Amino acid sequence: MVIESKLTPDVKKDLITRNLQEVLGEDRLLNLLKERELKIYWGTATTGKPHIAYFVPMSKIADFLKAGCEVTILFADLHAYLDNMKAPWDLLALRTSYYENSIKAMLTSIGVPLDKLKFVRGSEYQLSKEYTLDVYRLSSIVTEHDAKKAGAEVVKQVEHPLLSGLLYPGLQALDEEYLHVDAQFGGVDQRKIFTFSEKYLPQLGYAKRIHFMNPMVPGLTGSKMSSSEEDSKIDLLDPPAAVKKKLKKAFCEPGNIENNGVLAFTKHVIFSLFKPDEKFIIQREEANGGNVEFQNYNDLEAYFAEEKLHPADLKAAVEVHINRLLEPIRKAFDSPELKKLVANAYPAPSKNKTNTAGGENEIGPQKLDIRIGKIVEISRHPDADALYVEKIDLGETTPRIVVSGLVKYVPENEMLNRLVVVLCNLKPAKMRGIESCGMVLCASHEDANGKTIEVLDPPADSSPGDRAYFENYENSPESPPDTVLNPKKKIWEKLQVDFKTTSNCEAAWQGNILVTGKGKITCKTLKNISIK
């Protein structure tokens, strides 16, 4: 890719801002471009594996370079370490190396010259005396309210947040000063952090920066593309067969241009990387209308909206372009050295280890055995008017006996034959003489008006025995949940504090949604309420 050094400031501005959702400080941008080249940074926390959605910021970085900008890519290893400390430092070092090799391979794939870029690890300067002093200076003027508000879209929101999550926005703001840039680039989910930076950096005597925001591109399932949701993403190292399989399952309704990950990728990656004479070609049988070409994305979107283009034909064309982008990356990672790096940076869970990169002693929600059950028989406890005795089919040889204090809150006829969500590995306990071997999970709220309880609802089409897990805390056959939670360690009690419904009535632990292979677990109306 050739950098155009003779572009006018107006043309550079158009290149820099095209396809962005929002720009903060646009009034300063043109004046700065008239004086010199713009300095921009983009950062990424080195946690889960990069996937094809990373081509969205990469294509914008290509635009920045075409406009003559100086671009710094920050591998935020210290930020990743502070992310609930899910990975130890030695593992993060490997993952940071994986990120660097992956992103360099991606940029090479789209024709971006690496000699025009600067790559920086956060730990190279974020542990310095000067930076640390500025963290303390910032902490003396930032309120807890502003810190929580700034991180609301990117830091897991819990009732008792860790200090690391409150520090996160301030660290990202200081990065702008210590990387000596004019602007920061990120997704629109970073907006509150960007406005935080604009408010507080001047209070430290530092300049207010410009902020560029990409739209949030939906994943293949129609929601945000997530490293933890396997079907929503295509991994950079996925073979062609996996690309075909995942695209085939991708959400892409005829005529629907909303939350359409296939169209979004076409717009923000494929078309943005086209040379002036390139066209997007749909190859079809003559019986289906024959081949059709598109010079710009808007024409393609209108054609699809009018249902003149079948989703399968669109997917087939996108598949060709994705494989074209991924092939150089696959070849780069075919070396023994990089194969070893991938295996070490993202090891398969081994026996007696959790899959969160902690040790076997880590207390996390992956220790909970949560399953979908069906109440096949129910009666009142003979010695306790407030208790039900339920027989619940959990996909085991015989139904389990579970005692629940739900008599006052859910009629018996509504419980019988109902699908419920059951915590299965609590130590069996006798309740008024009857041993209970599990707990029916409910959202529970108590105030001056009394107590309200809603039994959690499994996804549609659930079956007894379906296992539930929290996003980012999946189990594997080699790393199952504990058979029985050790009551002396109070594992359930410690985890339950952060087990709540979200503002969308989804069950979650520290913001990680509780799901099965068939969807999310929810309640009917209770929001931001404890689950027990």
Side-chain angles (χ1 to χ4, degrees), residues 191-373:
R191 190 182 195 281
K192 291 178 180 178
I193 291 181
F194 292 164
T195 56
F196 173 96
S197 173
E198 293 193 356
K199 175 181 179 179
Y200 282 106
L201 279 190
Q203 295 186 39
L204 296 180
Y206 298 140
K208 183 188 294 187
R209 267 61 181 193
I210 300 167
H211 295 100
F212 303 120
M213 284 165 275
N214 253 349
M216 299 306 294
V217 176
L220 300 181
T221 58
S223 57
K224 180 181 177 181
M225 193 172 291
S226 166
S227 294
S228 64
E229 190 176 351
E230 189 61 30
D231 285 342
S232 82
K233 67 183 180 70
I234 292 174
D235 190 88
L236 297 178
L237 302 181
D238 273 347
V243 173
K244 181 183 289 292
K245 180 181 178 181
K246 289 178 179 180
L247 277 175
K248 187 176 181 180
K249 294 167 64 178
F251 176 81
C252 189
E253 289 180 340
N256 187 346
I257 61 175
E258 301 295 328
N259 297 320
N260 188 325
V262 180
L263 273 177
F265 187 84
T266 307
K267 175 182 180 179
H268 291 284
V269 178
I270 296 174
F271 273 91
S272 69
L273 295 174
F274 274 171
K275 296 173 182 176
D277 58 343
E278 279 192 271
K279 297 178 181 178
F280 188 75
I281 302 172
I282 304 287
Q283 295 187 333
R284 302 186 295 195
E285 299 289 340
E286 289 298 328
N288 295 326
N291 294 352
V292 60
E293 300 178 350
F294 298 93
Q295 189 77 42
N296 64 74
Y297 172 77
N298 289 336
D299 291 344
L300 169 66
E301 184 182 272
Y303 198 76
F304 186 85
E306 294 169 7
E307 298 192 30
K308 295 179 180 178
L309 176 61
H310 193 276
D313 294 323
L314 172 64
K315 290 179 180 181
V318 170
E319 180 186 343
V320 171
H321 286 277
I322 288 178
N323 281 318
R324 192 177 297 165
L325 290 169
L326 295 185
E327 190 54 31
I329 303 172
R330 296 179 189 127
K331 287 183 178 178
F333 275 83
D334 200 36
S335 70
E337 180 183 359
L338 290 185
K339 283 183 178 179
K340 183 179 179 181
L341 175 62
V342 175
N344 290 335
Y346 296 94
S350 58
K351 195 171 184 179
N352 297 326
K353 294 259 185 171
T354 70
N355 68 335
T356 58
E360 57 185 317
N361 295 320
E362 179 184 8
I363 294 180
Q366 72 283 349
K367 289 184 172 288
L368 304 180
D369 181 3
I370 300 176
R371 291 182 242 165
I372 307 305

Side-chain angles (χ1 to χ4, degrees), residues 349 353-355 365-370 467-470 472-482:
K353 294 259 185 171
T354 70
N355 68 335
Q366 72 283 349
K367 289 184 172 288
L368 304 180
D369 181 3
I370 300 176
R467 290 195 177 266
Y469 59 90
F470 295 90
N472 298 314
Y473 291 90
E474 299 92 330
N475 290 101
S476 71
E478 296 81 17
S479 179
D482 288 2

Side-chain angles (χ1 to χ4, degrees), residues 45-66:
T46 51
T47 50
K49 280 186 178 181
H51 43 73
I52 61 163
Y54 277 65
F55 274 111
V56 178
M58 294 304 109
S59 63
K60 274 310 302 175
I61 287 171
D63 282 344
F64 298 153
L65 291 169
K66 288 176 186 175

